Amino acid sequence: MYKIVNVEDGSTVGSTEKPYFIKKKESTGCYIATDEKSAQGVAYQSTAYNIQGKDGVGAKETVILIEYDAGTESDKNSAAIAENSAAIDNLIIAMLEG
C-alpha cells in the first residue's frame, strides 16, 4: 500500500494499492496516465497532486508517497475494534446490573 501525504501539513490525503501516476501533456494541458519514472504528479479520487521532487503538474498541493505494510495497519485496526467492543460490552453489563 501507499499512503499519500501532503508535504505542507503532513496530513494523509489517502491510501491506495496502486498510485495513478500522471503527467501534463504540453500540447493540450491535459493530464495523462504515465509510469512512475515519467510521472510529474499523482491523481487520487479525481484530484491531481504534484509529487515532491518532480516538475509537478501545476496542482495546488504537493504530496509524497510512502509505501507501507497494509497488513500491519489492518492488525492495529482490528485490535482497536476488539478493545472498543469489549469496553462497550462492559458498559452495557454495568448498565443492566445497575
Side-chain angles (χ1 to χ4, degrees):
M1 280 298 264
Y2 290 87
K3 191 174 286 189
I4 304 168
V5 179
N6 185 312
V7 296
E8 187 174 314
D9 62 10
S11 64
T12 298
V13 173
S15 296
T16 183
E17 287 191 32
K18 184 177 179 195
Y20 190 77
F21 294 106
I22 58 173
K23 66 181 180 180
K24 199 171 208 177
K25 189 171 181 179
E26 294 298 322
S27 61
T28 63
C30 296
Y31 301 135
I32 57 173
T34 190
D35 60 7
E36 183 176 3
K37 185 177 179 182
S38 303
Q40 297 171 306
V42 64
Y44 181 74
Q45 293 187 342
S46 301
T47 302
Y49 297 92
N50 302 312
I51 296 177
Q52 186 177 30
K54 302 272 189 162
D55 289 339
V57 291
K60 291 182 193 177
E61 299 178 68
T62 300
V63 298
I64 57 172
L65 299 172
I66 301 171
E67 191 170 8
Y68 72 99
D69 183 350
T72 303
E73 187 102 357
S74 178
D75 290 345
K76 286 180 190 175
N77 291 338
S78 293
I81 290 168
E83 203 174 295
N84 289 339
S85 180
I88 290 169
D89 289 347
N90 289 335
L91 285 172
I92 292 171
I93 290 169
M95 286 174 58
L96 293 172
E97 290 175 346

